[in-house]
Amino acid sequence: MLAIETQKLSRSFKGKPAVSSLNMHVPNGSIYGFIGQNGAGKSTTQKMICGLLHPDEGKISLYGKSGDDAEIRSKIGVIIESPALFPNASAYENMMMQAMNLGVSNPDKKIKEILKLVGLSDTDKKKSKLFSLGMKQRLAIGQTLLGDPRLLILDEPTNGLDPQGIIEIRNTLQKINTEQGITILISSHILGELSRIATHYGIIKQGEMIEEIDKEALREKCKEYMTVHVSDTHKAEGVIRLALEGKHEIEVTEDAVHIHHYQDGEKINRLLVDNGIYASEIKQHKMDLEEYFLAAMEGRTHA
Ligand SMILES: Nc1ncnc2c1ncn2[C@@H]1O[C@H](COP(=O)(O)OP(=O)(O)OP(=O)(O)O)[C@@H](O)[C@H]1O
Ligand SMILES: [Mg+2]
């Protein structure tokens, strides 16, 4: 079952498209990393999904129902702009005010549970204005949890955080996902961070979804390859192809030949030397999410 599905979602600002015919598929229970450069259309897409912005065209389904369905909408927790906290109130008091707004029954117990979950149990009377940015973000996430969401939509929640803050948010989100089964849509351009928690990815470029891929498929695609740096890539490619008899996928870039799933550097070196080719470097390489993302941006991942 899909938590979110968009079909041909589009939105322009003053005639300039921000999101174009975007199809997104967020499976229930997933942590979906929504990746794209500045201005790619991440926030615009997320705002339309949460109903903060009206699409020009297209359809949004949440758990198989129309995005306009009020009941479904009440099951979505959203943090898009920076969190609105009462600066002179403690974590508990901020949570209590939100609980009152939402009419949560038995709020004390619930607040204590959530504060534990987001790692803010021991902040006592400390005013939220004295919190680090990461603590404020976790408090905001805690507030959204008061509404028992099935789905959390977070727009760059690690923006501006230091490495420790990023790790804490990451752990919190992972816990929320595994312990409470909450689906999380999270946008970011800190790719390395997403790769530790995301189960699915969507890559957006200039308003268009250029690829959706799950963790396993990404791992498969990011498998190791050997990079052989040579000046005459064309000649080297021919020699290597002949010797490997089509057993390995071979790719040629400007200054190197890539051999997928292959380790024997000595053999390749000898082969090249025997053919009068000298490699300046031969090394093993593993693509990570960041490289995959850049390759996807340049349209190289389907090659
Ligand atoms: N309210 C608005 N009025 C006019 N243009 C807008 C508005 N909101 C967004 N845009 C434009 O739409 C495009 C997509 O913006 P959006 O904020 O969705 O990108 P983003 O991927 O969230 O970028 P960032 O990583 O910088 O947050 C950009 O060109 C932006 O300038
Ligand atoms: Mg944005």
Side-chain angles (χ1 to χ4, degrees), residues 13-14 16 18 36-45 47 155-156 189:
F13 293 106
K14 293 174 193 131
K16 198 172 160 281
Q37 291 166 338
N38 291 132
K42 303 182 294 295
S43 298
T44 304
T45 303
K47 283 178 189 166
D155 192 7
E156 310 228 25
H189 48 244

Side-chain angles (χ1 to χ4, degrees), residues 5 8 11 52 60 67 108 110 130 135 195 197 230 234:
E5 182 178 14
K8 300 195 167 178
R11 170 75 198 215
L52 293 171
I60 299 167
D108 179 69
K110 189 160 190 176
L130 301 173
M135 290 165 78
S195 71
I197 57 169
V230 285
H234 189 68

Side-chain angles (χ1 to χ4, degrees), residues 14-252:
K14 293 174 193 131
K16 198 172 160 281
V19 172
S20 311
S21 222
L22 184 118
N23 298 322
M24 176 188 259
H25 305 85
V26 179
N28 188 32
S30 65
I31 298 183
Y32 186 103
F34 191 30
I35 311 172
Q37 291 166 338
N38 291 132
K42 303 182 294 295
S43 298
T44 304
T45 303
Q46 286 174 299
K47 283 178 189 166
M48 289 192 282
I49 293 169
C50 334
L52 293 171
L53 196 66
H54 226 71
D56 295 334
E57 270 173 75
K59 225 177 97 181
I60 299 167
S61 308
L62 303 170
Y63 295 97
K65 290 190 176 165
S66 157
D68 301 327
D69 188 288
E71 196 190 327
I72 284 292
R73 214 156 259 310
S74 71
K75 291 288 158 204
I76 304 179
V78 180
I79 303 179
I80 292 219
E81 255 87 56
S82 44
L85 301 171
F86 292 100
N88 287 314
S90 67
Y92 183 91
E93 289 162 347
N94 267 292
M95 290 287 283
M96 186 54 92
M97 283 185 262
Q98 179 71 1
M100 297 298 196
N101 283 340
L102 294 170
V104 173
S105 58
N106 204 354
D108 179 69
K109 181 167 173 274
K110 189 160 190 176
I111 290 170
K112 285 176 179 156
E113 279 168 12
I114 294 175
L115 285 178
K116 188 161 174 248
L117 184 69
V118 300
L120 292 173
S121 288
D122 54 0
T123 55
D124 290 323
K125 294 197 165 13
K126 189 171 186 169
K127 293 176 177 175
S128 69
K129 68 179 173 195
L130 301 173
F131 285 9
S132 69
L133 192 57
M135 290 165 78
K136 286 180 186 163
Q137 279 290 13
R138 281 182 283 134
L139 179 52
I141 292 170
Q143 285 186 318
T144 64
L145 293 181
L146 282 167
D148 288 327
R150 286 177 77 179
L151 169 66
L152 270 188
I153 297 181
L154 308 169
D155 192 7
E156 310 228 25
T158 53
N159 224 358
L161 297 189
D162 61 18
Q164 183 59 29
I166 291 173
I167 290 170
E168 283 162 6
I169 293 281
R170 190 176 78 206
N171 292 343
T172 302
L173 294 179
Q174 186 110 62
K175 258 206 295 193
I176 290 171
N177 176 254
T178 50
E179 287 177 18
Q180 319 228 322
I182 296 175
T183 305
I184 301 176
L185 167 63
I186 171 174
S187 70
S188 181
H189 48 244
I190 307 175
L191 307 167
E193 278 310 314
L194 272 185
S195 71
R196 306 214 184 170
I197 57 169
T199 57
H200 295 75
Y201 300 91
I203 302 176
I204 180 173
K205 180 184 180 183
Q206 291 169 1
E208 292 179 29
M209 184 72 87
I210 56 172
E211 187 168 357
E212 285 188 300
I213 185 167
D214 68 22
K215 191 169 73 178
E216 282 74 34
L218 180 67
R219 195 178 296 145
E220 193 61 31
K221 283 197 172 185
C222 289
K223 268 192 180 160
E224 285 184 29
Y225 60 87
M226 179 184 286
T227 328
V228 184
H229 284 280
V230 285
S231 48
D232 190 344
T233 51
H234 189 68
K235 188 172 172 198
E237 181 198 359
V239 168
I240 293 169
R241 266 193 205 286
L242 200 65
L244 298 183
E245 300 168 331
K247 285 184 198 138
H248 298 270
E249 192 187 326
I250 293 170
E251 206 184 326
V252 183

